[in-house]
Amino acid sequence: MVVLGGGPAGYTAALYGARAGLSVLLLEKLSPGGQLATTDVIENYPGFSEGINGFELAMKMKQGAEKFGAKSKLAEVISCSLAGEIKELQTKKETFLAKTVVLAAGAVPRELGVPGEKELRGKGVSYCATCDGMFYRGKTVAVVGGGNTAAADALYLSRLCEKVYLIHRRDALRASKSYHGPLEQAGNIEFVWNSQVTALKHEASLTGLIVSEKNTGNEQEISCDGLFIAVGHVPETALFQGQLALDEAGYIPADETTRTELPGVFAVGDLRKKPLRQVVTAAADGAVAAYFAEEFLSKKS
Ligand code: NAP
């Protein structure tokens, strides 16, 4: 079994697969954990009543899988062939062959689409508060978005920065209620409702934003040193296009069994079409995929 992606879904599939006696190789392109590793505190993964740092949890998941014999390798899969009985996954240096594959490549932050965004990435524009927040200690930053990521980022940054603007295109957050109280109580978070960022002001790096109010069309300039973009995620499924049907947003349709339309290929975690994307639901997918992968292999032999 080859597992493509080392987030919570991938490492759980690897753990369950290896513990069931399969020969498991997990391929990860960057570092263990995926999005989990860039999360400051996970408070809603059962068993950690005090919360746990995302990277620490990711390392525990990796160690848990390796304890049962799963191997992991840092390697980026650049092409794959999933339809045949033997599936092939190519990296720059090697080709891996597998009888069953678990697709666990996750999702990446969506770009806002404002002019200059790409050029200012790393020069004031960031997609990861826990990775880059420390560069803005004592400074003023803005977060754009209204979901759980934006809420968590704004709270995290409020503890480091002098001031945080939370800019959202509607008049209410989509984020879970559990974030609302802490955001209001932080004392240094200012909400900018019904507003879109329309331009980035900069010299060598970001100096401010132009923000347009939806109802009046009024524009205001917000001076800030950093902009954290948290406007959702897009699934990492481009590699599978043409081999697997994707939905209109790029997710892989697979039901609760995590089976895809291709025999022996399973889709787990944030790239699967499903209603709730959390660490716990990603981990659950991984367990289910390993169960059905094992069943698939035992029927073949
Ligand atoms: P999300 O829930 O899809 O929220 C994206 C936010 O960005 C929405 O508020 C959306 O506005 C806004 N948005 C989208 N496109 C925009 C644009 N072009 N301009 C301005 N705003 C835009 O994404 P997410 O917050 O990244 O969360 C992704 C998944 O991870 C979710 O399932 C979430 O529950 C999970 N997650 C969970 C936790 C947690 O449980 N603690 C923490 C982080 C992430 P509208 O509201 O108007 O649509």
Side-chain angles (χ1 to χ4, degrees), residues 44 146 148-149 168-170 174 179 196 231 233 278:
N44 51 6
N148 281 332
T149 305
H168 184 35
R169 65 183 177 184
R170 293 189 295 120
R174 158 198 300 277
Y179 283 114
Q196 289 271 23
V231 295
H233 288 82
Q278 298 278 298

Side-chain angles (χ1 to χ4, degrees), residues 151 154-155 158 163-166 182-184 186-191:
L155 269 181
S158 73
K163 169 135 193 166
V164 179
Y165 292 95
L166 181 48
L183 285 168
E184 270 153 29
N188 60 347
I189 299 176
E190 183 176 332
F191 294 92

Side-chain angles (χ1 to χ4, degrees), residues 52-222:
I52 181 166
N53 172 264
F55 184 70
E56 196 184 335
L57 180 57
M59 291 312 287
K60 284 182 185 293
M61 289 182 175
K62 180 174 188 282
Q63 286 154 9
E66 288 174 351
K67 184 177 141 190
F68 291 105
K71 302 261 181 292
S72 46
K73 198 163 186 157
L74 272 186
E76 182 174 0
V77 175
I78 51 173
S79 67
C80 61
S81 168
L82 301 173
E85 203 165 319
I86 300 296
K87 285 98 181 52
E88 293 185 21
L89 298 108
Q90 281 95 22
T91 67
K92 273 188 189 140
K93 289 188 186 155
E94 286 167 283
T95 298
F96 297 96
L97 305 178
K99 289 181 181 164
T100 182
V101 173
V102 178
L103 306 177
V108 289
R110 179 183 289 132
E111 291 184 357
L112 184 59
V114 65
E117 179 177 350
K118 279 192 174 63
E119 294 75 8
L120 288 167
R121 195 173 184 151
K123 297 174 189 159
V125 170
S126 170
Y127 300 83
C128 179
T130 51
C131 317
D132 300 332
M134 62 182 177
F135 298 124
Y136 301 92
R137 195 178 287 276
K139 295 185 173 178
T140 295
V141 297
V143 175
V144 58
N148 281 332
T149 305
D153 285 0
L155 269 181
Y156 177 76
L157 292 164
S158 73
R159 297 194 286 269
L160 290 173
C161 303
E162 185 173 296
K163 169 135 193 166
V164 179
Y165 292 95
L166 181 48
I167 303 165
H168 184 35
R169 65 183 177 184
R170 293 189 295 120
D171 63 359
L173 298 178
R174 158 198 300 277
S176 310
K177 287 273 179 289
S178 62
Y179 283 114
H180 294 204
L183 285 168
E184 270 153 29
Q185 283 148 26
N188 60 347
I189 299 176
E190 183 176 332
F191 294 92
V192 184
W193 299 116
N194 294 314
S195 296
Q196 289 271 23
V197 176
T198 54
L200 305 178
K201 308 282 281 183
H202 62 94
E203 289 167 10
S205 60
L206 187 81
T207 55
L209 317 169
I210 303 294
V211 170
S212 170
E213 211 276 347
K214 190 173 71 181
N215 300 317
T216 59
N218 287 345
E219 290 198 328
Q220 62 161 318
E221 181 169 346
I222 292 177

